[in-house]
Amino acid sequence: MTIRKKDIEKIAHLARINISQEESQKLENKLVGIMSLIDKMQTVDTANIEPMSHALDISQPLRKDEVTESDLRKNILPLAPETEEYLFIVPQVIE
Amino acid sequence: MLNLSLQSLALHLEKKTFSSAELTQFFLGRIKQHNPSLNAFISIDEEKSLTMAKKADELIAKGKKSTLTGIPVAQKDIFCSQGWPTTCGSKMLENFIAPYDAMVIEKFNEVGAVNIGKTNMDEFAMGSSNETSYFGPVKNPWNLDLVPGGSSGGSASAIAARLAPAATGTDTGGSIRQPASLCGFTGLKPTYGLVSRYGMIAFASSLDQAGPMAISAEDCALLMNVMSGHDKRDSTSIERDKEDYGSKLNSSIKGLKIGIPKEFFGEGLDSSVHTLIDAAIDQYKKLGAEIIEISLPNNHLAIPVYYVIAPAEASSNLSRYDGVRYGYRTKEYDDLTDMYFKTRQEGFGEEVKRRILIGTYVLSAGYYDAYYLKAQKIRRLISEDFTNAFKQCDVIMGPSAPSVAFNAGEKKEDPLAMYMQDIYTISTNLAGLPAMSIPAGFVSNLPVGLQLIGNYFTEAKLLNIAHSFQKNTDWHLKSAKGFE
């Protein structure tokens, strides 16, 4: 399976990244190379093999749904590019 | 103060030969002198570091000290450090001041270690040469035309140039061990889950692991004692009893069974590196170890598998950079969607965008089974290779990297060549195993690292094996010309 220009447009859209025309050609060449490296996997027979998502077989720990840290607003909001009172500001989305 | 072990620095601090403030000032002076040519640090804050040092001196005066109290430690700029810029090598976080401490930082603060500055790194830890940093490439102290390796290249360059006596790094596919090899010092990637990832900016969460970088195995043991430990804020943090990683340093290694994987010595390995690794293994034989030939038959699949799993996890982790809550936001935009698209186009560098796109592709509808699921299945095969190998041996040895440090710019435009740098390190990240790189000699005045891979949770044993070598060799004590 090789990656084509229209695939790149589609995934760039999904990833919310603009790709300029000049970036696009360079990117295509490199992604084609990387995907051919990845395709070496296809020669391996993996029937009946359990996928491994994690290095150690541990289960996800659970905790009580309790507030452990509160009132962090004054630490967090100043990091945002644009705020008003206690809100993050984004371009208007609802008319 | 230069070239001393952490243990002897601690003794001097205790005896008051010099204070932590003096020690800190000394290393800040070295950073000021050498950083313009090395670019190892992204940020230093003299005032903050000296305040920490003075506090440490008070602790020492009160007799309330641990070994690392008052010792300067360089922190990779991937660890959130409250009040410090924490950039992860990216324009996206250029102006980000961390509002809290990572667990690793918290632990060093608790014992009164001094943060001597934040070190340069490949952007979001994606790279093997430290050339993808938004803040410019890092230089290798052994030869300024060469790369230091990556992604923990700033920490590596800092240790090799003796700009700090200790540093932290992170290793997702080799990012502690390959730079340790290329810059000639000791680095340890612990078992996955031993050091908390809390506050460590995420790249590929099932592979990322923090670890120590220092001159010797002895120093790394002291750093591990501080860094490791369970943390409920990281859901993959391992719960186990606290261990003294230095407790076995001087144990005998007579009868140690060393597995040599034939796959680590094939095509692609530089012949002069091969010769040095053979010599290092011979040294172990002289120390009483037994050599066993083993096989890791699926190792050649580690890079393809890694370049599915790591980008997949990265594409998900890096979706948080949206220009809304923190980080970079583009200057001009029409609407919300346009803001996302331009923010991420301008805020991320080329390599990061490439990996986000690959990750998005392998996870997208119609390709998930063929790529992501397939990679996870082969990840199990790679991991089982190690399980089988450790039935026959106690430790696995081979090269850390296929060559010595290479020229800046040489592989920058060729991702496939760059990715091959991690051919011997990636499989241990996929399996979650601990591994080290220790200095094993020089090829044309450039350092070569020997890799030691252990079974799960055998860090103390690995450090013992490394220390035994370092008691009988002095490769790890050599420093680069101009930085002695």
Side-chain angles (χ1 to χ4, degrees):
Chain A
M1 281 179 276
T2 188
I3 195 160
R4 293 174 207 285
K5 198 165 237 119
K6 72 174 200 325
D7 297 313
I8 295 175
E9 281 166 19
K10 187 183 153 206
I11 56 178
H13 178 77
L14 289 171
R16 300 293 185 270
I17 297 175
N18 254 356
I19 308 282
S20 67
Q21 280 302 320
E22 53 181 300
E23 278 175 303
S24 179
Q25 192 52 52
K26 211 171 145 190
L27 193 61
E28 189 182 342
N29 294 336
K30 287 184 178 163
L31 292 189
V32 165
I34 296 167
M35 290 313 295
S36 70
L37 172 83
I38 289 173
D39 274 331
K40 286 189 182 148
M41 296 193 313
Q42 307 306 339
T43 58
V44 184
D45 179 12
T46 50
N48 305 318
I49 296 184
E50 273 292 302
M52 175 176 168
S53 59
H54 198 275
L56 302 163
D57 284 322
I58 51 167
S59 57
Q60 194 73 358
L62 297 173
R63 63 168 172 82
K64 285 210 174 92
D65 188 14
E66 288 169 342
V67 177
T68 53
E69 291 168 286
S70 57
D71 197 23
L72 294 173
R73 201 182 275 164
K74 64 177 191 325
N75 303 343
I76 303 298
L77 276 171
L79 299 169
E82 199 181 344
T83 58
E84 209 177 291
E85 289 180 51
Y86 53 88
L87 302 168
F88 295 116
I89 300 300
V90 294
Q92 189 172 356
V93 278
I94 302 164
E95 289 297 326
Chain B
M1 300 180 197
L2 204 59
N3 297 319
L4 292 180
S5 71
L6 299 184
Q7 193 74 59
S8 30
L9 284 175
L11 275 172
H12 283 295
L13 289 174
E14 199 179 317
K15 287 191 198 149
K16 307 208 169 46
T17 327
F18 45 76
S19 66
S20 170
E22 287 164 334
L23 183 64
T24 302
Q25 195 71 69
F26 172 78
F27 281 107
L28 284 170
R30 283 188 69 80
I31 295 171
K32 259 193 220 153
Q33 186 189 347
H34 295 295
N35 202 49
S37 62
L38 295 171
N39 200 25
F41 285 82
I42 292 176
S43 55
I44 47 166
D45 186 328
E46 207 163 317
E47 210 182 301
K48 272 202 178 70
S49 299
L50 285 170
T51 306
M52 294 175 93
K54 282 171 194 152
K55 268 194 197 152
D57 282 328
E58 284 167 25
L59 283 175
I60 295 166
K62 284 185 209 152
K64 286 184 188 166
K65 72 181 290 289
S66 79
T67 319
L68 293 191
T69 310
I71 306 271
V73 181
Q75 300 289 356
K76 185 174 181 179
D77 210 18
I78 199 168
F79 295 104
C80 285
S81 326
Q82 194 168 11
W84 291 76
T86 300
T87 69
C88 220
S90 182
K91 178 181 180 181
M92 196 57 106
L93 292 173
E94 187 178 7
N95 298 310
F96 179 73
I97 309 286
Y100 69 102
D101 282 326
M103 176 66 149
V104 165
I105 300 291
E106 226 173 64
K107 295 257 192 186
F108 279 113
N109 289 348
E110 270 170 29
V111 298
V114 173
N115 185 342
I116 193 86
K118 307 290 298 286
T119 57
N120 205 343
M121 54 182 286
D122 277 302
E123 185 179 7
F124 286 104
M126 299 178 191
S128 306
S129 66
N130 225 295
E131 291 171 292
T132 74
S133 169
Y134 176 66
F135 301 92
V138 176
K139 304 293 165 60
N140 190 321
W142 292 94
N143 179 337
L144 299 180
D145 295 331
L146 308 182
V147 303
S151 68
S152 314
S155 288
S157 178
I159 294 296
R162 308 292 190 251
L163 306 187
T168 55
T170 59
D171 191 316
T172 302
S175 287
I176 288 176
R177 291 162 285 158
Q178 182 255 11
S181 179
L182 271 47
C183 287
F185 61 90
T186 308
L188 164 68
K189 178 206 100 70
T191 303
Y192 181 86
L194 217 49
V195 178
S196 168
R197 291 185 293 109
Y198 178 75
M200 183 176 117
I201 297 171
F203 160 20
S205 304
S206 82
L207 305 165
D208 297 344
Q209 180 60 213
M213 302 167 83
I215 294 175
S216 68
E218 212 178 345
D219 289 352
C220 284
L222 290 170
L223 294 162
M224 263 309 278
N225 283 348
V226 172
M227 295 172 78
S228 60
H230 179 245
D231 179 8
K232 60 183 180 206
R233 296 165 302 182
D234 170 4
S235 65
T236 57
S237 168
I238 302 285
E239 228 174 325
R240 60 199 316 274
D241 291 339
K242 191 81 187 159
E243 192 176 341
D244 175 3
Y245 291 98
S247 62
K248 292 182 187 162
L249 278 178
N250 290 303
S251 303
S252 161
I253 59 160
K254 262 206 175 69
L256 178 80
K257 288 185 180 149
I258 301 175
I260 307 295
K262 56 174 186 281
E263 293 79 6
F264 280 23
F265 294 87
E267 202 192 326
L269 177 64
D270 185 277
S271 64
S272 45
V273 172
H274 193 318
T275 309
L276 278 186
I277 298 301
D278 284 347
I281 292 163
D282 273 344
Q283 176 77 39
Y284 272 106
K285 253 196 252 177
K286 284 185 202 140
L287 296 173
E290 187 189 329
I291 310 299
I292 296 160
E293 190 176 306
I294 58 158
S295 175
L296 299 169
N298 293 295
N299 189 68
H300 67 288
L301 295 163
I303 289 183
V305 166
Y306 179 86
Y307 280 97
V308 172
I309 290 175
E313 294 184 12
S315 72
S316 166
N317 275 326
L318 272 62
S319 65
R320 70 189 68 179
Y321 302 103
D322 56 4
V324 175
R325 293 151 302 153
Y326 50 84
Y328 177 78
R329 178 188 280 197
T330 183
K331 297 293 162 271
E332 282 172 45
Y333 43 88
D334 302 329
D335 55 26
L336 183 63
T337 313
D338 190 45
M339 188 198 86
Y340 290 151
F341 275 93
K342 286 183 182 155
T343 293
R344 291 164 64 79
Q345 174 184 29
E346 296 160 16
F348 291 134
E350 238 182 86
E351 180 66 22
V352 172
K353 283 190 268 194
R354 238 176 354 243
R355 296 208 196 179
I356 291 175
L357 293 174
I358 294 166
T360 307
Y361 184 66
V362 298
L363 290 174
S364 62
Y367 296 112
Y368 183 88
D369 284 7
Y371 291 118
Y372 190 63
L373 207 64
K374 183 91 183 172
Q376 286 193 321
K377 289 178 177 179
I378 302 177
R379 182 178 183 177
R380 185 168 300 281
L381 295 176
I382 290 167
S383 179
E384 282 170 355
D385 282 353
F386 284 106
T387 311
N388 292 330
F390 283 120
K391 285 176 189 158
Q392 304 167 62
C393 62
D394 306 311
V395 63
I396 295 170
M397 288 190 194
S400 301
S403 67
V404 291
F406 48 91
N407 282 309
E410 188 184 315
K411 301 182 200 290
K412 200 170 175 240
E413 290 304 316
D414 185 355
L416 297 189
M418 188 72 85
Y419 296 171
M420 295 315 277
Q421 274 296 306
D422 297 325
I423 181 130
Y424 308 125
T425 48
I426 277 181
S427 50
T428 51
N429 295 81
L430 292 168
L433 293 163
M436 294 184 72
S437 179
I438 61 172
F442 291 83
V443 170
S444 325
N445 207 32
L446 294 172
V448 169
L450 171 73
Q451 188 178 202
L452 323 176
I453 304 169
N455 212 339
Y456 298 104
F457 306 113
T458 58
E459 285 76 6
K461 183 78 194 154
L462 277 181
L463 288 160
N464 159 232
I465 298 167
H467 184 62
S468 308
F469 187 78
Q470 293 183 339
K471 279 197 294 190
N472 290 282
T473 56
D474 63 355
W475 304 120
H476 62 295
L477 299 174
K478 307 264 186 225
S479 51
K481 210 170 160 233
F483 300 96
E484 306 98 330

